[in-house]
């Protein structure tokens, strides 16, 4: 393999009338189109390079296993400034392509595009796609369309890649993609979406951000994709926007399945005030399905705005699996959207209970509304903390409901010290008041301080 080819070496033509594009192309061709070559590294010293023509990289010569690396001296030091008609850097069916340590600016189309042009079987996964792609410390800005586009790729690894101030999207994935991983990447101040992700499976994004775009993240037609520690701030519409159906290229994935957002964060999104949400908007139409698991996530806003929701679940087939999140605004459903709440037990106590009814907690539905709800609650009651082994205990299974006609609690099973024959016996009846609060009423001689562990199922949540 050839190493350290310097694009400024006079052998490649140098600058012609202020234009470096031919020198760049000659250097690339010297290691990708020579029958005795299997690729190499093109070194781009620091400087501002004006390029008046597209740069094309084609490495899909299967018999040669050609590979190429474009290596600059830093995204603030090596700048590729395009002044041309069309995209800047075009990688056709790229294999083993690495882009490192430079910036690309001002293309009249996309700044960087990995194009799928091979004539293979369109339904064959990864058969002719770009693969083994690495981008490190690359910035793409001020394109007339998107910053970086992947038409069909697998085995993508991006680290410290920035896409900002592009007229369309920052990062755009279209076609079919697998094994994509991005870490510490950022999309900011783009005209459309920071991240547009479509037709992708088994991929992950860690600690990536998207600020000041139309939507922070726009996701459709995916399976088994996870965002961990990702965020979005000051976007005009939703921070995370998930939708189905969306037209697909390869007809492999038609819905959103097993999308996971974990430990993600949103701040001051929905700035356009047109019904979008601060954290997440799930939208389905026709027969589309979109299921999103959201765990340990939160949002914030300053100042607090009226009429904003943290999460909107919109459409038949839209389902949020809501697991231990902390949202400052409401989670709302419309057009049959479903909020499936992952329930955890809730510990209460010590509570002093004597002759009167005592409030244990507030009951609401899975969207946080207290007007109508229904489900089952399992209660274990003790006369001492749960870490104490030798406690008096009783267990109750309640069927509870609150409707427009009133409230009701039915004890469908109970066991333990339930008769109230001693002061420290945790013996209770239960009821719900008009505000949706669960009340405990002592039985017999029951009195003193008690502890409760409660868990709920159904359209009910414990507050």
């Amino acid at each position: 393999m050839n190493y350290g080819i310097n694009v400024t070496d006079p052998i490649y033509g140098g600058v012609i009338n202020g234009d470096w594009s031919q020198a760049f192309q000659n250097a690339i061709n010297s290691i990708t189109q020579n029958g005795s070559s299997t690729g190499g590294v093109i070194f781009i010293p620091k400087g501002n390079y004006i390029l008046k023509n597209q740069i094309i990289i084609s490495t899909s010569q299967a018999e040669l296993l050609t590979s190429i690396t474009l290596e600059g001296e830093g995204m603030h030091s090596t700048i590729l400034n395009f002044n041309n008609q069309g995209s800047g850097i075009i990688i056709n069916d790229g294999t083993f392509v690495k882009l490192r340590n430079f910036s690309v600016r001002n293309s009249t189309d996309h700044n960087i595009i990995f194009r799928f042009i091979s004539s293979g079987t369109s339904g064959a996964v990864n058969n002719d796609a770009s693969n083994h792609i690495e981008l490190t410390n690359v910035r793409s800005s001020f394109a007339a369309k998107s910053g970086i586009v992947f038409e069909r790729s697998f085995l993508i690894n991006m680290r410290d890649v920035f896409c900002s101030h592009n007229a369309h999207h920052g990062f755009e994935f279209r076609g079919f993609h697998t094994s994509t991983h991005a870490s510490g990447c950022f999309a900011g101040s783009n005209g459309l979406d920071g991240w547009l992700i479509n037709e992708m499976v088994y991929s992950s994004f860690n600690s990536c951000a998207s600020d000041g775009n139309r939507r922070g993240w726009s996701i459709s037609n995916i399976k088994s994709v996870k965002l961990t520690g990702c965020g979005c701030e000051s976007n005009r519409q939703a921070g995370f926007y998930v939708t189905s159906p969306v037209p697909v290229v390869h007809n492999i994935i038609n819905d959103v399945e097993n999308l996971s957002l974990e430990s993600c964060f949103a701040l001051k999104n929905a700035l356009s005030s047109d019904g979008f949400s601060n954290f997440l908007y799930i939208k389905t139409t026709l027969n589309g399905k979109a299921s999103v698991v959201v765990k340990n996530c939160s949002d914030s806003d300053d100042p607090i705005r009226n009429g904003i929701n943290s999460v909107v679940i919109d459409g038949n087939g839209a389902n949020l699996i809501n697991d231990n999140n902390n949202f400052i605004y409401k989670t709302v459903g419309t057009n049959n959207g479903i909020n499936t709440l992952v329930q955890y037990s809730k510990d209460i106590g010590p509570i002093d209970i004597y002759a009167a009814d005592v409030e244990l907690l507030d009951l609401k539905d899975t969207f946080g509304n207290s007007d109508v709800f229904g489900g089952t609650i399992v209660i274990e009651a003790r006369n001492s903390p749960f870490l104490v082994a030798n406690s008096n205990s009783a267990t109750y299974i309640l069927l509870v409901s609150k409707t427009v006609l009133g409230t009701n609690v039915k004890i469908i099973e109970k066991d333990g010290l339930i008769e109230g024959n001693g002061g420290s016996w945790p013996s209770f009846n239960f009821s719900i008041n008009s505000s949706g609060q669960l009340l405990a009423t002592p039985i017999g001689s029951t009195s003193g301080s008690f502890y409760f562990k409660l868990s709920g199922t159904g359209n009910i949540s414990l507050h």
Side-chain angles (χ1 to χ4, degrees):
M1 178 178 288
N2 298 317
Y3 290 97
I5 292 175
N6 192 320
V7 74
T8 65
D9 192 320
I11 193 175
Y12 301 113
V15 60
I16 302 174
N17 296 325
D19 179 16
W20 280 96
S21 56
Q22 190 59 57
F24 274 65
Q25 193 65 63
N26 289 340
I28 291 167
N29 291 347
S30 73
I31 60 173
T32 59
Q33 296 186 356
N34 186 333
S36 63
S37 170
T38 57
V41 179
I42 305 292
F43 175 61
I44 313 170
K46 62 182 179 180
N48 189 345
Y49 297 87
I50 304 299
L51 299 113
K52 298 181 181 180
N53 291 291
Q54 299 172 329
I55 302 302
I56 299 176
I57 301 173
S58 297
T59 63
S60 58
Q61 302 178 54
E63 70 279 7
L64 299 178
L65 292 176
T66 308
S67 61
I68 187 170
T69 299
L70 296 188
E71 180 93 40
E73 291 195 79
M75 67 167 65
H76 300 292
S77 301
T78 300
I79 300 170
L80 278 55
N81 204 331
F82 282 89
N83 180 16
N84 66 308
Q85 294 298 314
S87 296
I89 300 177
I90 300 173
I91 299 96
N92 292 326
D93 299 329
T95 301
F96 303 111
V97 174
K98 298 180 180 180
L99 308 180
R100 297 174 174 172
N101 301 313
F102 61 84
S103 292
V104 183
R105 298 179 180 175
N106 298 322
S107 295
T108 59
D109 202 77
H110 311 297
N111 272 339
I112 302 172
I113 179 169
F114 291 83
R115 287 198 315 191
F116 168 63
I117 63 172
S118 292
S119 57
T121 304
S122 62
V125 177
N126 300 330
N127 230 9
D128 303 299
S130 299
N131 62 88
H132 293 273
I133 298 166
E134 179 185 306
L135 293 91
T136 305
N137 195 31
V138 171
R139 180 183 291 273
S140 177
S141 304
F142 303 106
K145 291 188 178 178
S146 295
I148 303 177
V149 175
F150 300 91
E151 282 195 347
R152 185 180 177 191
S153 311
F154 78 109
L155 290 174
I156 305 170
N157 190 3
M158 293 192 293
R159 181 167 53 89
D160 300 329
V161 179
F162 294 74
C163 288
S164 66
H165 301 90
N166 300 289
H168 287 186
H169 309 288
F171 299 87
E172 180 178 352
F173 294 86
R174 61 193 190 199
F176 184 72
H177 306 275
T178 72
S179 306
T180 296
H181 175 74
S183 177
C185 298
F186 175 75
S189 301
N190 297 286
L192 297 180
D193 303 330
W195 297 80
L196 179 66
I197 300 173
N198 185 39
E199 289 193 273
M200 180 178 289
V201 298
Y202 50 92
S203 296
S204 64
F205 299 81
N206 294 334
S207 302
C208 295
S210 188
D211 302 348
N213 310 285
R214 179 183 67 172
R215 299 166 186 158
W217 301 74
S218 187
I219 303 173
S220 56
N221 305 104
I222 61 93
K223 286 186 179 181
S224 301
V225 173
K226 186 174 184 178
L227 279 62
T228 305
C230 293
C232 40
E233 300 181 16
S234 302
N235 295 286
R236 298 188 299 280
Q237 296 183 359
F240 298 93
Y241 182 80
V242 179
T243 185
S244 178
V246 168
V248 295
V249 176
H250 292 287
N251 244 351
I252 297 174
I253 309 169
N254 296 306
D255 292 307
V256 174
E257 300 179 25
N258 303 113
L259 171 62
S260 176
L261 309 182
E262 186 165 344
S263 301
C264 293
F265 178 76
L267 170 66
K268 197 176 288 188
N269 298 295
L271 294 177
S272 58
S273 301
D274 52 1
F276 286 89
S277 48
N278 191 29
F279 184 83
L280 170 67
Y281 198 109
I282 307 174
K283 174 68 174 179
T284 59
T285 56
L286 302 174
N287 295 318
K289 297 180 180 179
S291 181
V292 186
V293 178
V294 179
K295 182 176 182 179
N296 298 333
C297 294
S298 62
D299 67 340
S300 184
D301 215 355
D302 184 21
I304 298 298
R305 293 171 287 164
N306 294 325
I308 300 294
N309 296 303
S310 288
V311 178
V312 174
I313 311 163
D314 182 2
N316 192 33
N319 184 18
L320 169 68
I321 295 86
N322 189 339
D323 186 352
N324 194 40
N325 301 297
N326 183 19
F327 297 130
I328 61 170
Y329 298 120
K330 292 193 67 174
T331 295
V332 301
T334 184
N335 298 318
N336 298 318
I338 297 173
N339 181 25
T340 302
L341 187 65
V342 177
Q343 303 274 18
Y344 293 92
S345 62
K346 192 174 185 68
D347 290 0
I348 300 173
I351 296 181
D352 293 332
I353 300 179
Y354 295 95
D357 296 338
V358 174
E359 174 194 341
L360 296 183
L361 43 66
D362 293 329
L363 300 179
K364 298 181 180 181
D365 70 7
T366 55
F367 285 103
N369 301 312
S370 59
D371 50 353
V372 175
F373 53 76
T376 60
I377 300 176
V378 178
I379 303 175
E380 183 186 2
R382 294 190 182 189
N383 71 320
S384 58
F386 286 93
L387 292 176
V388 178
N390 297 317
S391 300
N392 294 335
S393 66
T395 302
Y396 305 85
I397 302 176
L398 313 180
L399 179 64
V400 303
S401 65
K402 186 172 187 292
T403 72
V404 294
L405 298 178
T407 63
N408 186 52
V409 174
K410 180 183 294 185
I411 299 178
I412 58 178
E413 190 61 75
K414 57 184 178 179
D415 197 13
L417 301 178
I418 57 177
E419 296 88 359
N421 293 337
S424 62
W425 285 30
S427 309
F428 303 98
N429 284 317
F430 299 93
S431 60
I432 302 174
N433 64 19
S434 59
S435 298
Q437 297 168 331
L438 180 64
L439 309 178
T441 305
I443 296 175
S445 59
T446 294
S447 63
S449 294
F450 294 93
Y451 297 79
F452 299 85
K453 184 182 291 287
L454 304 93
S455 59
T457 59
N459 187 28
I460 196 168
S461 58
L462 313 177
H463 294 265

